[in-house]
Amino acid sequence: MRIGIPKETARDETRVALVPNLIPLLRKELHEVFVEKAAGRAASYSDREYRDAGALIIDDAPTLYEQTEVVLKVHPPGPAEAQAMKEGSTYVVFLAPLSHPDVVAAFLRRRITGFSMEYIPRITRAQSMDALSSMATVSGYKAAVVAAEKMVKMFPLMMTAAGTIPPAIVLVLGAGVAGLQAIATARRLGAKVEAFDPRPAVKEQVKSLGATFLDMEVAENVETTGGYAREQSEDFLKKERDVIAKRLPSMDAIICTAQVFGKRAPVLLTAEMLQHLRPGTVIVDLATEQGGNCELTVPGTTIERNGVTLVGAVNLPATLPAHASQLYAKNVVNLLLHVYQKGSTVPDFTDEITKGCCITHNGAVVQEAVKSVLEQKGVVTT
Ligand code: NAD
């Protein structure tokens, strides 16, 4: 197949969907690779590296779209890209179909086979394709680094001739992939870490990283079969906020990562609760794009309230594009080689991975959960 890598057009996006060292793997499977000029530059990958790895460099996106039948991207196509998509081609991307019904409609019109990287099933067999986990790993790491950078204190214990400096205390809310990475990074930097997550299995993982699990009754039946947390009741969240509020005066930094797939993120820090924090405390909210775990979070902006710094973190993986692209590209290539294995050109919809993440095919929405929501919204009809 002829595989194309356009330059990302979304504002502040620095990642690229394929890195040079994966090109030989695709060529071994007899695929050809076309890369738009400067597509990898912001992520530190030069056109020369792509060319040396066996790709053909194409001057502009419309030509690239015209010459290829599979497009790999990070962000969904904008209107101009949607116009350029070739009828019947394949598109692999973080599609977020429920937030981009216009793109889904464009895929249907052009009979695009559209794969959404967010919908890779969370099963062991699909771990090597799990781009959400890859990006959460990068975000969790960066959140701890941002907290350390914005803080008025140092993270580690220091014993000096001028006295002893105690370690910073960091609270991590939500201990999924991003939260566990934030805990690990804050611990490596020398902080004492406390954490909470309603899924009971997480307690041991938190402890194994040398952090303390906040003591609170955890709800039963909190995990979906897909490995995600269910939405918690308002009663549970109120109890959780009470437990968190008691710990706030001791904190130097708080990293918020609590999310419920497809829903608004739970509010774990209200404006009133921030009054319990000491000036100089830093909050890094990773749940910003899902509404934020902190009531006052402003997406993409850092604000200050009574001496507390609140970072509304957006797209942290784009701040570390070399490694974020490396991980994302490997996930995408693994998916592509899985779906189109042994020279096949048609996806096998009896396969659990394909069925889970292929959203559109042949002019129809084929992913059941997405289809039912889009039908309710009137985007597609039965
Ligand atoms: P996520 O980004 O949807 O959510 C982040 C965390 O927020 C989760 O751990 C969730 O339990 C937590 N959370 C939800 N409500 C909360 C609340 N009220 N207070 C505090 N925390 C709250 O999830 P994720 O990090 O992408 O994944 C969650 C889990 O899924 C992983 O830790 C893992 O167990 C599982 N998983 C499995 C696979 C696999 O088997 N292939 C892959 C990835 C993840």
mmCIF file of all heavy atoms in Angstrom, residues 109-159:
data_model
loop_
_atom_site.group_PDB
_atom_site.id
_atom_site.type_symbol
_atom_site.label_atom_id
_atom_site.label_comp_id
_atom_site.label_asym_id
_atom_site.label_seq_id
_atom_site.Cartn_x
_atom_site.Cartn_y
_atom_site.Cartn_z
ATOM 1 N N ARG A 109 -19.009 10.387 3.491
ATOM 2 C CA ARG A 109 -19.208 10.864 2.118
ATOM 3 C C ARG A 109 -18.145 10.285 1.186
ATOM 4 O O ARG A 109 -18.431 9.905 0.065
ATOM 5 C CB ARG A 109 -19.132 12.401 2.073
ATOM 6 C CG ARG A 109 -20.443 13.102 2.427
ATOM 7 C CD ARG A 109 -20.409 14.559 2.008
ATOM 8 N NE ARG A 109 -19.295 15.314 2.544
ATOM 9 C CZ ARG A 109 -19.263 15.863 3.765
ATOM 10 N NH1 ARG A 109 -20.301 15.725 4.570
ATOM 11 N NH2 ARG A 109 -18.221 16.534 4.172
ATOM 12 N N ARG A 110 -16.908 10.213 1.684
ATOM 13 C CA ARG A 110 -15.800 9.766 0.820
ATOM 14 C C ARG A 110 -15.487 8.284 1.004
ATOM 15 O O ARG A 110 -14.439 7.824 0.578
ATOM 16 C CB ARG A 110 -14.567 10.609 1.109
ATOM 17 C CG ARG A 110 -14.842 12.061 0.821
ATOM 18 C CD ARG A 110 -13.602 12.863 0.587
ATOM 19 N NE ARG A 110 -14.008 14.133 0.045
ATOM 20 C CZ ARG A 110 -13.546 14.642 -1.084
ATOM 21 N NH1 ARG A 110 -12.640 14.013 -1.760
ATOM 22 N NH2 ARG A 110 -13.983 15.799 -1.517
ATOM 23 N N ARG A 111 -16.342 7.588 1.698
ATOM 24 C CA ARG A 111 -16.196 6.143 1.933
ATOM 25 C C ARG A 111 -14.810 5.813 2.491
ATOM 26 O O ARG A 111 -14.133 4.864 2.055
ATOM 27 C CB ARG A 111 -16.459 5.358 0.642
ATOM 28 C CG ARG A 111 -17.771 5.698 -0.008
ATOM 29 C CD ARG A 111 -18.020 4.924 -1.262
ATOM 30 N NE ARG A 111 -18.715 3.681 -1.005
ATOM 31 C CZ ARG A 111 -20.001 3.581 -0.716
ATOM 32 N NH1 ARG A 111 -20.754 4.656 -0.642
ATOM 33 N NH2 ARG A 111 -20.549 2.422 -0.485
ATOM 34 N N ILE A 112 -14.374 6.640 3.465
ATOM 35 C CA ILE A 112 -13.063 6.434 4.090
ATOM 36 C C ILE A 112 -13.172 5.311 5.132
ATOM 37 O O ILE A 112 -14.142 5.261 5.890
ATOM 38 C CB ILE A 112 -12.597 7.733 4.803
ATOM 39 C CG1 ILE A 112 -12.550 8.923 3.845
ATOM 40 C CG2 ILE A 112 -11.271 7.536 5.534
ATOM 41 C CD1 ILE A 112 -11.476 8.932 2.825
ATOM 42 N N THR A 113 -12.160 4.443 5.177
ATOM 43 C CA THR A 113 -12.056 3.482 6.275
ATOM 44 C C THR A 113 -11.279 4.200 7.376
ATOM 45 O O THR A 113 -10.064 4.402 7.261
ATOM 46 C CB THR A 113 -11.323 2.199 5.813
ATOM 47 O OG1 THR A 113 -12.079 1.645 4.731
ATOM 48 C CG2 THR A 113 -11.224 1.191 6.940
ATOM 49 N N GLY A 114 -12.001 4.635 8.398
ATOM 50 C CA GLY A 114 -11.390 5.492 9.423
ATOM 51 C C GLY A 114 -11.152 4.745 10.731
ATOM 52 O O GLY A 114 -12.077 4.184 11.314
ATOM 53 N N PHE A 115 -9.895 4.725 11.182
ATOM 54 C CA PHE A 115 -9.544 4.085 12.464
ATOM 55 C C PHE A 115 -9.276 5.165 13.503
ATOM 56 O O PHE A 115 -8.575 6.138 13.225
ATOM 57 C CB PHE A 115 -8.286 3.219 12.307
ATOM 58 C CG PHE A 115 -8.521 1.980 11.492
ATOM 59 C CD1 PHE A 115 -8.335 1.995 10.115
ATOM 60 C CD2 PHE A 115 -8.937 0.801 12.092
ATOM 61 C CE1 PHE A 115 -8.560 0.861 9.348
ATOM 62 C CE2 PHE A 115 -9.167 -0.340 11.341
ATOM 63 C CZ PHE A 115 -8.978 -0.307 9.966
ATOM 64 N N SER A 116 -9.818 4.958 14.706
ATOM 65 C CA SER A 116 -9.627 5.926 15.779
ATOM 66 C C SER A 116 -8.728 5.314 16.857
ATOM 67 O O SER A 116 -9.091 4.303 17.466
ATOM 68 C CB SER A 116 -10.999 6.271 16.371
ATOM 69 O OG SER A 116 -10.863 7.280 17.314
ATOM 70 N N MET A 117 -7.580 5.928 17.075
ATOM 71 C CA MET A 117 -6.607 5.349 18.007
ATOM 72 C C MET A 117 -7.110 5.328 19.456
ATOM 73 O O MET A 117 -6.618 4.564 20.265
ATOM 74 C CB MET A 117 -5.270 6.114 17.918
ATOM 75 C CG MET A 117 -4.537 5.947 16.606
ATOM 76 S SD MET A 117 -4.214 4.225 16.139
ATOM 77 C CE MET A 117 -2.935 3.731 17.304
ATOM 78 N N GLU A 118 -8.098 6.191 19.768
ATOM 79 C CA GLU A 118 -8.645 6.166 21.144
ATOM 80 C C GLU A 118 -9.457 4.902 21.401
ATOM 81 O O GLU A 118 -9.734 4.565 22.539
ATOM 82 C CB GLU A 118 -9.609 7.329 21.394
ATOM 83 C CG GLU A 118 -9.020 8.710 21.333
ATOM 84 C CD GLU A 118 -9.237 9.329 19.967
ATOM 85 O OE1 GLU A 118 -9.389 8.582 18.981
ATOM 86 O OE2 GLU A 118 -9.235 10.568 19.889
ATOM 87 N N TYR A 119 -9.901 4.252 20.327
ATOM 88 C CA TYR A 119 -10.826 3.124 20.483
ATOM 89 C C TYR A 119 -10.147 1.755 20.398
ATOM 90 O O TYR A 119 -10.828 0.738 20.313
ATOM 91 C CB TYR A 119 -11.962 3.239 19.457
ATOM 92 C CG TYR A 119 -12.981 4.279 19.881
ATOM 93 C CD1 TYR A 119 -12.721 5.632 19.726
ATOM 94 C CD2 TYR A 119 -14.179 3.916 20.479
ATOM 95 C CE1 TYR A 119 -13.630 6.604 20.131
ATOM 96 C CE2 TYR A 119 -15.096 4.867 20.887
ATOM 97 C CZ TYR A 119 -14.813 6.216 20.705
ATOM 98 O OH TYR A 119 -15.710 7.165 21.130
ATOM 99 N N ILE A 120 -8.805 1.753 20.429
ATOM 100 C CA ILE A 120 -8.100 0.466 20.488
ATOM 101 C C ILE A 120 -8.573 -0.244 21.773
ATOM 102 O O ILE A 120 -8.487 0.346 22.859
ATOM 103 C CB ILE A 120 -6.567 0.696 20.578
ATOM 104 C CG1 ILE A 120 -6.030 1.440 19.357
ATOM 105 C CG2 ILE A 120 -5.827 -0.614 20.843
ATOM 106 C CD1 ILE A 120 -5.751 0.618 18.146
ATOM 107 N N PRO A 121 -9.086 -1.469 21.677
ATOM 108 C CA PRO A 121 -9.574 -2.122 22.899
ATOM 109 C C PRO A 121 -8.436 -2.321 23.921
ATOM 110 O O PRO A 121 -7.300 -2.574 23.528
ATOM 111 C CB PRO A 121 -10.075 -3.485 22.403
ATOM 112 C CG PRO A 121 -10.163 -3.382 20.927
ATOM 113 C CD PRO A 121 -9.225 -2.313 20.491
ATOM 114 N N ARG A 122 -8.782 -2.188 25.192
ATOM 115 C CA ARG A 122 -7.747 -2.307 26.221
ATOM 116 C C ARG A 122 -7.612 -3.764 26.636
ATOM 117 O O ARG A 122 -7.992 -4.166 27.732
ATOM 118 C CB ARG A 122 -8.082 -1.390 27.381
ATOM 119 C CG ARG A 122 -8.229 0.033 26.870
ATOM 120 C CD ARG A 122 -8.050 1.031 27.922
ATOM 121 N NE ARG A 122 -6.820 1.755 27.700
ATOM 122 C CZ ARG A 122 -6.460 2.814 28.384
ATOM 123 N NH1 ARG A 122 -7.218 3.263 29.336
ATOM 124 N NH2 ARG A 122 -5.335 3.428 28.133
ATOM 125 N N ILE A 123 -7.086 -4.542 25.688
ATOM 126 C CA ILE A 123 -6.860 -5.956 25.934
ATOM 127 C C ILE A 123 -5.368 -6.216 25.750
ATOM 128 O O ILE A 123 -4.682 -5.448 25.066
ATOM 129 C CB ILE A 123 -7.686 -6.841 24.961
ATOM 130 C CG1 ILE A 123 -7.418 -6.432 23.493
ATOM 131 C CG2 ILE A 123 -9.179 -6.749 25.259
ATOM 132 C CD1 ILE A 123 -8.068 -7.333 22.458
ATOM 133 N N THR A 124 -4.900 -7.290 26.359
ATOM 134 C CA THR A 124 -3.463 -7.570 26.342
ATOM 135 C C THR A 124 -2.926 -7.617 24.910
ATOM 136 O O THR A 124 -1.874 -7.053 24.609
ATOM 137 C CB THR A 124 -3.204 -8.918 27.056
ATOM 138 O OG1 THR A 124 -3.860 -8.840 28.318
ATOM 139 C CG2 THR A 124 -1.740 -9.186 27.253
ATOM 140 N N ARG A 125 -3.677 -8.251 24.008
ATOM 141 C CA ARG A 125 -3.240 -8.415 22.613
ATOM 142 C C ARG A 125 -3.040 -7.073 21.904
ATOM 143 O O ARG A 125 -2.282 -6.981 20.941
ATOM 144 C CB ARG A 125 -4.348 -9.217 21.892
ATOM 145 C CG ARG A 125 -3.906 -10.054 20.739
ATOM 146 C CD ARG A 125 -4.941 -11.147 20.474
ATOM 147 N NE ARG A 125 -6.295 -10.658 20.229
ATOM 148 C CZ ARG A 125 -6.766 -10.278 19.053
ATOM 149 N NH1 ARG A 125 -5.987 -10.288 17.998
ATOM 150 N NH2 ARG A 125 -8.012 -9.875 18.914
ATOM 151 N N ALA A 126 -3.724 -6.032 22.388
ATOM 152 C CA ALA A 126 -3.655 -4.733 21.701
ATOM 153 C C ALA A 126 -2.744 -3.734 22.422
ATOM 154 O O ALA A 126 -2.696 -2.568 22.040
ATOM 155 C CB ALA A 126 -5.063 -4.156 21.569
ATOM 156 N N GLN A 127 -2.017 -4.218 23.439
ATOM 157 C CA GLN A 127 -1.202 -3.266 24.219
ATOM 158 C C GLN A 127 -0.177 -2.525 23.364
ATOM 159 O O GLN A 127 0.089 -1.354 23.590
ATOM 160 C CB GLN A 127 -0.502 -3.995 25.360
ATOM 161 C CG GLN A 127 -1.313 -3.925 26.639
ATOM 162 C CD GLN A 127 -0.719 -4.720 27.767
ATOM 163 O OE1 GLN A 127 0.268 -5.418 27.601
ATOM 164 N NE2 GLN A 127 -1.330 -4.623 28.927
ATOM 165 N N SER A 128 0.375 -3.201 22.367
ATOM 166 C CA SER A 128 1.419 -2.558 21.542
ATOM 167 C C SER A 128 0.828 -1.496 20.604
ATOM 168 O O SER A 128 1.555 -0.809 19.906
ATOM 169 C CB SER A 128 2.165 -3.612 20.725
ATOM 170 O OG SER A 128 1.290 -4.152 19.761
ATOM 171 N N MET A 129 -0.518 -1.392 20.577
ATOM 172 C CA MET A 129 -1.177 -0.396 19.715
ATOM 173 C C MET A 129 -1.828 0.704 20.552
ATOM 174 O O MET A 129 -2.446 1.614 20.009
ATOM 175 C CB MET A 129 -2.281 -1.083 18.881
ATOM 176 C CG MET A 129 -1.797 -2.286 18.140
ATOM 177 S SD MET A 129 -3.182 -3.311 17.594
ATOM 178 C CE MET A 129 -2.361 -4.890 17.435
ATOM 179 N N ASP A 130 -1.707 0.607 21.863
ATOM 180 C CA ASP A 130 -2.471 1.457 22.777
ATOM 181 C C ASP A 130 -1.871 2.865 22.863
ATOM 182 O O ASP A 130 -1.067 3.185 23.743
ATOM 183 C CB ASP A 130 -2.507 0.783 24.155
ATOM 184 C CG ASP A 130 -3.382 1.525 25.145
ATOM 185 O OD1 ASP A 130 -3.854 2.632 24.814
ATOM 186 O OD2 ASP A 130 -3.572 1.007 26.252
ATOM 187 N N ALA A 131 -2.274 3.717 21.921
ATOM 188 C CA ALA A 131 -1.698 5.065 21.836
ATOM 189 C C ALA A 131 -2.134 5.949 23.008
ATOM 190 O O ALA A 131 -1.403 6.859 23.401
ATOM 191 C CB ALA A 131 -2.098 5.712 20.514
ATOM 192 N N LEU A 132 -3.333 5.693 23.553
ATOM 193 C CA LEU A 132 -3.757 6.501 24.711
ATOM 194 C C LEU A 132 -2.792 6.285 25.863
ATOM 195 O O LEU A 132 -2.387 7.231 26.539
ATOM 196 C CB LEU A 132 -5.167 6.102 25.157
ATOM 197 C CG LEU A 132 -6.348 6.711 24.413
ATOM 198 C CD1 LEU A 132 -7.644 6.323 25.099
ATOM 199 C CD2 LEU A 132 -6.238 8.224 24.323
ATOM 200 N N SER A 133 -2.399 5.022 26.090
ATOM 201 C CA SER A 133 -1.455 4.747 27.179
ATOM 202 C C SER A 133 -0.102 5.385 26.890
ATOM 203 O O SER A 133 0.541 5.931 27.791
ATOM 204 C CB SER A 133 -1.285 3.234 27.387
ATOM 205 O OG SER A 133 -2.442 2.697 27.959
ATOM 206 N N SER A 134 0.334 5.321 25.614
ATOM 207 C CA SER A 134 1.627 5.933 25.268
ATOM 208 C C SER A 134 1.615 7.428 25.583
ATOM 209 O O SER A 134 2.544 7.963 26.189
ATOM 210 C CB SER A 134 1.922 5.761 23.774
ATOM 211 O OG SER A 134 2.065 4.410 23.462
ATOM 212 N N MET A 135 0.547 8.105 25.152
ATOM 213 C CA MET A 135 0.495 9.558 25.355
ATOM 214 C C MET A 135 0.300 9.889 26.844
ATOM 215 O O MET A 135 0.834 10.885 27.338
ATOM 216 C CB MET A 135 -0.619 10.185 24.510
ATOM 217 C CG MET A 135 -0.400 10.039 23.006
ATOM 218 S SD MET A 135 1.196 10.668 22.402
ATOM 219 C CE MET A 135 2.105 9.166 22.107
ATOM 220 N N ALA A 136 -0.439 9.030 27.561
ATOM 221 C CA ALA A 136 -0.625 9.253 29.000
ATOM 222 C C ALA A 136 0.703 9.105 29.743
ATOM 223 O O ALA A 136 0.971 9.827 30.707
ATOM 224 C CB ALA A 136 -1.666 8.274 29.551
ATOM 225 N N THR A 137 1.539 8.198 29.268
ATOM 226 C CA THR A 137 2.870 8.019 29.891
ATOM 227 C C THR A 137 3.677 9.309 29.759
ATOM 228 O O THR A 137 4.281 9.793 30.722
ATOM 229 C CB THR A 137 3.617 6.856 29.183
ATOM 230 O OG1 THR A 137 2.841 5.678 29.352
ATOM 231 C CG2 THR A 137 5.000 6.642 29.754
ATOM 232 N N VAL A 138 3.654 9.882 28.545
ATOM 233 C CA VAL A 138 4.405 11.123 28.300
ATOM 234 C C VAL A 138 3.815 12.258 29.154
ATOM 235 O O VAL A 138 4.546 13.016 29.808
ATOM 236 C CB VAL A 138 4.355 11.500 26.794
ATOM 237 C CG1 VAL A 138 5.086 12.806 26.533
ATOM 238 C CG2 VAL A 138 4.943 10.381 25.939
ATOM 239 N N SER A 139 2.474 12.351 29.171
ATOM 240 C CA SER A 139 1.819 13.433 29.920
ATOM 241 C C SER A 139 2.104 13.330 31.422
ATOM 242 O O SER A 139 2.340 14.338 32.084
ATOM 243 C CB SER A 139 0.297 13.381 29.739
ATOM 244 O OG SER A 139 -0.026 13.571 28.403
ATOM 245 N N GLY A 140 2.048 12.119 31.945
ATOM 246 C CA GLY A 140 2.278 11.934 33.390
ATOM 247 C C GLY A 140 3.679 12.361 33.777
ATOM 248 O O GLY A 140 3.890 13.057 34.777
ATOM 249 N N TYR A 141 4.647 11.960 32.951
ATOM 250 C CA TYR A 141 6.034 12.360 33.195
ATOM 251 C C TYR A 141 6.149 13.890 33.180
ATOM 252 O O TYR A 141 6.671 14.511 34.104
ATOM 253 C CB TYR A 141 6.944 11.743 32.119
ATOM 254 C CG TYR A 141 8.285 12.416 31.984
ATOM 255 C CD1 TYR A 141 9.323 12.120 32.865
ATOM 256 C CD2 TYR A 141 8.503 13.386 31.006
ATOM 257 C CE1 TYR A 141 10.548 12.759 32.765
ATOM 258 C CE2 TYR A 141 9.719 14.032 30.901
ATOM 259 C CZ TYR A 141 10.737 13.718 31.778
ATOM 260 O OH TYR A 141 11.942 14.367 31.687
ATOM 261 N N LYS A 142 5.598 14.494 32.104
ATOM 262 C CA LYS A 142 5.767 15.942 31.930
ATOM 263 C C LYS A 142 5.040 16.715 33.032
ATOM 264 O O LYS A 142 5.494 17.776 33.468
ATOM 265 C CB LYS A 142 5.277 16.350 30.543
ATOM 266 C CG LYS A 142 5.563 17.797 30.165
ATOM 267 C CD LYS A 142 7.062 18.099 30.068
ATOM 268 C CE LYS A 142 7.370 19.558 29.850
ATOM 269 N NZ LYS A 142 7.623 19.933 28.474
ATOM 270 N N ALA A 143 3.904 16.193 33.499
ATOM 271 C CA ALA A 143 3.157 16.895 34.549
ATOM 272 C C ALA A 143 4.019 17.043 35.803
ATOM 273 O O ALA A 143 4.030 18.106 36.447
ATOM 274 C CB ALA A 143 1.871 16.135 34.870
ATOM 275 N N ALA A 144 4.752 15.992 36.144
ATOM 276 C CA ALA A 144 5.615 16.070 37.339
ATOM 277 C C ALA A 144 6.750 17.062 37.115
ATOM 278 O O ALA A 144 7.118 17.831 38.013
ATOM 279 C CB ALA A 144 6.169 14.680 37.668
ATOM 280 N N VAL A 145 7.276 17.071 35.874
ATOM 281 C CA VAL A 145 8.374 18.007 35.560
ATOM 282 C C VAL A 145 7.858 19.451 35.609
ATOM 283 O O VAL A 145 8.530 20.346 36.136
ATOM 284 C CB VAL A 145 8.981 17.665 34.171
ATOM 285 C CG1 VAL A 145 9.977 18.719 33.722
ATOM 286 C CG2 VAL A 145 9.643 16.292 34.216
ATOM 287 N N VAL A 146 6.646 19.681 35.073
ATOM 288 C CA VAL A 146 6.052 21.035 35.102
ATOM 289 C C VAL A 146 5.829 21.463 36.560
ATOM 290 O O VAL A 146 6.141 22.599 36.937
ATOM 291 C CB VAL A 146 4.718 21.069 34.309
ATOM 292 C CG1 VAL A 146 3.967 22.371 34.541
ATOM 293 C CG2 VAL A 146 4.982 20.885 32.818
ATOM 294 N N ALA A 147 5.318 20.553 37.373
ATOM 295 C CA ALA A 147 5.094 20.885 38.790
ATOM 296 C C ALA A 147 6.418 21.282 39.446
ATOM 297 O O ALA A 147 6.495 22.288 40.153
ATOM 298 C CB ALA A 147 4.458 19.685 39.504
ATOM 299 N N ALA A 148 7.472 20.502 39.181
ATOM 300 C CA ALA A 148 8.785 20.800 39.781
ATOM 301 C C ALA A 148 9.303 22.153 39.300
ATOM 302 O O ALA A 148 9.884 22.922 40.065
ATOM 303 C CB ALA A 148 9.775 19.692 39.423
ATOM 304 N N GLU A 149 9.040 22.445 38.033
ATOM 305 C CA GLU A 149 9.555 23.692 37.442
ATOM 306 C C GLU A 149 8.817 24.920 37.992
ATOM 307 O O GLU A 149 9.418 25.959 38.226
ATOM 308 C CB GLU A 149 9.401 23.586 35.921
ATOM 309 C CG GLU A 149 10.274 24.527 35.126
ATOM 310 C CD GLU A 149 9.524 25.788 34.710
ATOM 311 O OE1 GLU A 149 8.312 25.694 34.429
ATOM 312 O OE2 GLU A 149 10.151 26.845 34.683
ATOM 313 N N LYS A 150 7.518 24.780 38.244
ATOM 314 C CA LYS A 150 6.708 25.936 38.683
ATOM 315 C C LYS A 150 6.768 26.144 40.201
ATOM 316 O O LYS A 150 6.319 27.173 40.701
ATOM 317 C CB LYS A 150 5.239 25.735 38.305
ATOM 318 C CG LYS A 150 4.988 25.575 36.817
ATOM 319 C CD LYS A 150 4.524 26.871 36.207
ATOM 320 C CE LYS A 150 4.243 26.715 34.736
ATOM 321 N NZ LYS A 150 4.702 27.832 33.947
ATOM 322 N N MET A 151 7.251 25.131 40.920
ATOM 323 C CA MET A 151 7.196 25.215 42.379
ATOM 324 C C MET A 151 8.224 26.187 42.957
ATOM 325 O O MET A 151 9.250 26.443 42.342
ATOM 326 C CB MET A 151 7.434 23.826 42.978
ATOM 327 C CG MET A 151 6.163 23.206 43.521
ATOM 328 S SD MET A 151 6.412 21.498 43.935
ATOM 329 C CE MET A 151 7.791 21.579 45.051
ATOM 330 N N VAL A 152 7.933 26.691 44.141
ATOM 331 C CA VAL A 152 8.874 27.611 44.785
ATOM 332 C C VAL A 152 9.855 26.838 45.663
ATOM 333 O O VAL A 152 10.719 27.423 46.316
ATOM 334 C CB VAL A 152 8.108 28.657 45.635
ATOM 335 C CG1 VAL A 152 7.339 29.617 44.756
ATOM 336 C CG2 VAL A 152 7.182 27.986 46.645
ATOM 337 N N LYS A 153 9.705 25.514 45.683
ATOM 338 C CA LYS A 153 10.578 24.665 46.502
ATOM 339 C C LYS A 153 11.276 23.639 45.607
ATOM 340 O O LYS A 153 10.880 23.454 44.465
ATOM 341 C CB LYS A 153 9.738 23.888 47.521
ATOM 342 C CG LYS A 153 9.060 24.729 48.564
ATOM 343 C CD LYS A 153 8.315 23.802 49.506
ATOM 344 C CE LYS A 153 7.713 24.551 50.660
ATOM 345 N NZ LYS A 153 6.959 23.624 51.534
ATOM 346 N N MET A 154 12.254 22.949 46.187
ATOM 347 C CA MET A 154 12.887 21.833 45.467
ATOM 348 C C MET A 154 12.149 20.546 45.822
ATOM 349 O O MET A 154 11.524 20.460 46.875
ATOM 350 C CB MET A 154 14.355 21.722 45.881
ATOM 351 C CG MET A 154 15.161 22.940 45.484
ATOM 352 S SD MET A 154 16.916 22.740 45.845
ATOM 353 C CE MET A 154 16.978 23.103 47.604
ATOM 354 N N PHE A 155 12.239 19.554 44.973
ATOM 355 C CA PHE A 155 11.574 18.272 45.246
ATOM 356 C C PHE A 155 12.304 17.420 46.297
ATOM 357 O O PHE A 155 11.670 16.912 47.204
ATOM 358 C CB PHE A 155 11.429 17.458 43.940
ATOM 359 C CG PHE A 155 10.072 17.595 43.284
ATOM 360 C CD1 PHE A 155 9.412 18.814 43.250
ATOM 361 C CD2 PHE A 155 9.453 16.506 42.688
ATOM 362 C CE1 PHE A 155 8.165 18.954 42.636
ATOM 363 C CE2 PHE A 155 8.208 16.623 42.080
ATOM 364 C CZ PHE A 155 7.559 17.842 42.056
ATOM 365 N N PRO A 156 13.640 17.227 46.188
ATOM 366 C CA PRO A 156 14.251 16.215 47.063
ATOM 367 C C PRO A 156 14.632 16.702 48.457
ATOM 368 O O PRO A 156 14.776 17.906 48.687
ATOM 369 C CB PRO A 156 15.521 15.832 46.302
ATOM 370 C CG PRO A 156 15.848 16.995 45.452
ATOM 371 C CD PRO A 156 14.591 17.764 45.203
ATOM 372 N N LEU A 157 14.796 15.766 49.338
ATOM 373 C CA LEU A 157 15.378 16.022 50.658
ATOM 374 C C LEU A 157 16.824 16.446 50.436
ATOM 375 O O LEU A 157 17.534 15.802 49.662
ATOM 376 C CB LEU A 157 15.339 14.715 51.477
ATOM 377 C CG LEU A 157 16.169 14.685 52.746
ATOM 378 C CD1 LEU A 157 15.404 15.335 53.900
ATOM 379 C CD2 LEU A 157 16.542 13.263 53.119
ATOM 380 N N MET A 158 17.246 17.524 51.091
ATOM 381 C CA MET A 158 18.643 17.953 50.962
ATOM 382 C C MET A 158 19.205 18.166 52.355
ATOM 383 O O MET A 158 18.626 18.933 53.137
ATOM 384 C CB MET A 158 18.728 19.265 50.189
ATOM 385 C CG MET A 158 18.212 19.150 48.785
ATOM 386 S SD MET A 158 19.459 19.647 47.646
ATOM 387 C CE MET A 158 18.539 19.559 46.134
ATOM 388 N N MET A 159 20.317 17.500 52.634
ATOM 389 C CA MET A 159 20.975 17.723 53.929
ATOM 390 C C MET A 159 22.218 18.542 53.653
ATOM 391 O O MET A 159 23.157 18.061 53.016
ATOM 392 C CB MET A 159 21.292 16.379 54.565
ATOM 393 C CG MET A 159 19.994 15.648 54.909
ATOM 394 S SD MET A 159 20.200 13.972 55.367
ATOM 395 C CE MET A 159 20.363 14.122 57.110
#
